[in-house]
């Protein structure tokens, strides 16, 4: 340790202070200049950069995207705007307008659900001349600004190969980020809780949203309630009962085409009883409480021929009053010759009482007037 007094000591202390101040100022200026130089270089290559407000506080920053439409890409574009299905090769130096593509895509206005292909993300470009390696990972941002349609994001090794390596369906008015690892075989990794673009929902309520859209898939439910029309274009199979709470409306069942004698149509009326119409005796049934139409399996009944058929109906008793009439033939004349009432059924005898065949199938219309 040493100490010097007088004017000579003051001069040395002043010299030392000036030297330290100059050294610190030069070091800080060099550090800040280097940081801003890196940021400016990254911005020129369309990268998204974060500039900390203070070297000791790196948690907060400002992120901004410059948006350009497809075909208007520039070296400083930060986000690509699309309006239709498209594919982008992230490894290509000429991805769009002879330049690399940014790592952000926004669907601005869509006329339908569209697909967005991201190709070769594991060798995507850091800038115009540099691609990532297995030591890097890149973040991708996807925005669906359309109010109605979905954006399906798929990752590919080859454009248009039809074999997506990962998929994410981005709903309207939403966004998502994904990561692509340089050693990840061109997969886009979306947030946890999604599998192949389908969210795993284990609770809550989905309100006012179309499920299935234009591409339907299987669904499994315990109870299904509909306040309007239920439409099925295929076969409806049930392991239990089907109930019609018809109110004031009619219930009509009419199997298309020919029906084999082994098939039956069973109707549950409003009282819980079961009038059964067997298609071995009748082809289809339309029932309105105590009124019904029975159509025969007999086609083109010959002139003078007769037969007796049984119509099962739980509304009928041995003391019922039943009005019947025959119709349906385009030629010939079907007459009802006899009706025998039973408990829950009636036997109806008919005859083609003309010199011509009954072309087509005849019908028996009936009305049960008595109370059960």
């Amino acid at each position: 340790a040493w100490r010097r007094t007088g004017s000579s000591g003051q001069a040395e202390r002043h010299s030392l202070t000036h030297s330290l101040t100059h050294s610190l100022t030069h070091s800080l200026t060099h550090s800040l200049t280097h940081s801003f130089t890196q940021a400016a270089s990254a911005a020129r290559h369309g990268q998204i950069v974060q500039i900390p407000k203070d070297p000791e506080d790196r948690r907060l920053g400002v992120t901004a995207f410059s948006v350009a439409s497809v075909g208007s890409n520039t070296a400083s574009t930060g986000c690509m705007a699309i309006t239709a299905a498209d594919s982008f090769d992230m490894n290509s130096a000429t991805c769009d307008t002879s330049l690399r593509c940014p790592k952000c895509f926004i669907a601005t206005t869509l006329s339908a659900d569209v697909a967005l292909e991201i190709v070769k993300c594991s060798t995507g470009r850091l800038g115009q001349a540099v691609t990532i390696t297995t030591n890097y990972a890149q973040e991708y941002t996807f925005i669906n600004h359309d109010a109605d349609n979905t954006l399906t994001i798929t990752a590919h090794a080859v454009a248009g190969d039809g074999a997506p390596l990962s998929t994410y369906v981005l709903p309207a008015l939403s966004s998502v980020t994904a990561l692509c690892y340089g050693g990840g075989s061109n997969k886009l990794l979306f947030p946890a809780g999604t599998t192949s673009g389908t969210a795993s929902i284990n609770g809550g309520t989905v309100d006012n949203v179309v499920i299935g859209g234009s591409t339907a898939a299987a669904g499994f439910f315990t109870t299904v309630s509909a306040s309007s029309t239920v439409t099925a274009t295929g076969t409806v199979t049930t392991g239990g009962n089907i109930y019609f709470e018809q109110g004031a409306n009619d219930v009509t069942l009419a199997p298309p085409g020919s029906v084999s004698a082994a098939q039956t149509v069973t109707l549950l009326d409003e009282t819980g009883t079961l009038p059964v119409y067997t298609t071995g005796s009748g082809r289809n049934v339309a029932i309105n409480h105590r009124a019904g139409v029975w159509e025969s399996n007999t086609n083109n009944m010959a002139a003078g021929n007769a037969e007796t058929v049984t119509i099962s109906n739980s509304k009928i008793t041995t003391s019922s009053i039943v009005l019947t009439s025959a119709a349906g033939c385009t030629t010939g004349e079907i007459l009802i010759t006899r009706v025998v009432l039973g408990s829950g059924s009636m036997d109806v005898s008919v005859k083609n009482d003309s010199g011509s065949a009954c072309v087509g199938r005849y019908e028996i219309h009936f009305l049960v007037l008595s109370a059960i």
Side-chain angles (χ1 to χ4, degrees), residues 196-223:
S196 297
T198 303
S200 176
I201 302 175
N202 298 313
T205 301
V206 179
D207 286 327
N208 198 30
V209 176
V210 175
I211 299 175
S214 58
T215 305
F220 300 90
F221 307 92
T222 55
T223 303

Side-chain angles (χ1 to χ4, degrees), residues 82 84-89 95 101 105 115-119 156 158-160:
I82 65 172
D86 216 329
S87 177
F88 298 94
D89 186 342
C95 176
C101 283
F105 297 88
L116 170 63
E117 277 191 353
I118 302 298
V119 183
H156 298 260
V158 179

Side-chain angles (χ1 to χ4, degrees), residues 254-263 279-280 282-284 295-297 299 361:
S258 61
V259 180
S260 68
Q263 292 177 295
T279 56
R283 185 159 173 266
N284 60 52
E295 186 179 64
S296 71
N297 261 1
N299 195 16
R361 301 176 188 274

Side-chain angles (χ1 to χ4, degrees), residues 340-354:
V340 178
L341 301 179
S343 179
S345 68
M346 64 180 176
D347 293 333
V348 182
S349 298
V350 298
K351 180 182 179 180
N352 183 0
D353 192 30
S354 75

Side-chain angles (χ1 to χ4, degrees), residues 54-74:
D54 184 90
E56 296 301 322
D57 184 6
R58 300 178 182 273
R59 293 171 297 173
L60 300 178
V62 178
T63 301
F65 303 93
S66 59
V67 179
S69 300
V70 175
S72 301
N73 184 34
T74 69

